[in-house]
Amino acid sequence: MAAISTSNFRRLIGVWKTFGQISSENQVLELAGTDSYELILDGKFILHKADVTIGSEKSEIFEMISLDETTNKVKMQYFNSKGESGIMTGELTNNNFKIEGEGIKFSGMINSENSTIVGKWYLQTNNKSWKEFIDMKLEKQL
Amino acid sequence: MENKLSKRLGDIVTALPLKDGMRILEIGCGPGAIAREIANRFDNIYVLAIDRSAKAIELAKKNSATETESGKLTFIQSKIEAFELPENEELFDIAFAVRVGALDGRHPGIEKASLTSISKALKKNGKLYIDGGDPLKEISLKNY
């Protein structure tokens, strides 16, 4: 039985320093914080915690990540400090990291040393096109 | 359906510089009470009202059959930070929002993207108003 602990997602395990930029026409808003990924419940799940500040707004997220063996994708169920929750699907194929939720998606890369993740979040507009939202970089600390 | 608006919301509608012939964009319309009030106060006005909540839009549409059938009012589900002018829509004269976290400082992460979206949907001299003033305040879109 495949386990998330032996899947490509094990490359996320650790503590990361997070940097981001939200750009709009003439202005840039900085995002900064910490993301951590740890195996829990006998290695059956990954617990992702994010603690980030966007401008002056602080946001915390807890996310449970579980592997779907048939598709090799993960279910990512998140809860945040605004009281919001939702489910996204993640895929980590070779070094390509993709996440997709309702009206939002992430596309990025993890390097072969598993020390850096770089990518972008996109929002889906009412016209169904995708609009760039946040540029992200995560650097492994531990 | 009779549109019962609170005094506060009624004062907000009265404070908006609305005129016949204008195109109005309401952000965060909820169940549509303000949008309906505007549509009913003027003979020749158009309101596009958006909200990120599918349930709010569903309720707004259900309660606004007369106004939407007349062509004076349209509801769309959309997050303001990801809003694009729909293909069949022209630019707006005024945009306004009441109790919308994306615009009143509560969510700076999406505020800039929201103001950019609004700026692109307004005519050159179009204006944005939010509550929190007396009873409204204008938000400058100079940098967007």
Side-chain angles (χ1 to χ4, degrees), chain A residues 22-29 54-57 82 84 102-104 123-131 133-134, chain B residues 52 76-87 105-110 112-114 116-117 120 142-144:
Chain A
I22 300 171
S23 298
S24 67
E25 304 295 318
N26 310 327
Q27 303 201 14
V28 173
L29 193 64
I54 304 173
S56 58
E57 184 186 8
K82 293 181 208 170
E84 298 163 338
E102 193 180 331
I104 190 163
L123 292 177
Q124 190 169 39
T125 72
N126 48 295
N127 290 334
K128 305 301 176 195
S129 61
W130 290 98
K131 173 179 162 177
F133 183 41
I134 307 177
Chain B
R52 62 177 65 236
I76 289 178
Q77 185 198 353
S78 178
K79 296 173 184 175
I80 183 54
E81 64 270 26
F83 175 71
E84 281 182 345
L85 200 64
E87 272 184 27
R106 283 181 282 158
H107 300 303
I110 55 174
K112 292 192 190 310
S114 302
T116 301
S117 295
K120 288 181 176 176
K142 198 169 62 170
N143 295 323
Y144 296 92

Side-chain angles (χ1 to χ4, degrees), chain A residues 31-43:
Chain A
L31 176 158
T34 305
D35 280 77
S36 69
Y37 294 83
E38 60 181 293
L39 285 167
I40 60 167
L41 299 172
D42 288 336

Side-chain angles (χ1 to χ4, degrees), chain A residues 10 19 27 32 36 40 43 54 59 66 95 110 116 131 136:
Chain A
R10 72 186 184 281
F19 308 90
Q27 303 201 14
S36 69
I40 60 167
I54 304 173
S59 179
S66 57
N95 291 346
I110 182 169
T116 306
K131 173 179 162 177
M136 296 284 294

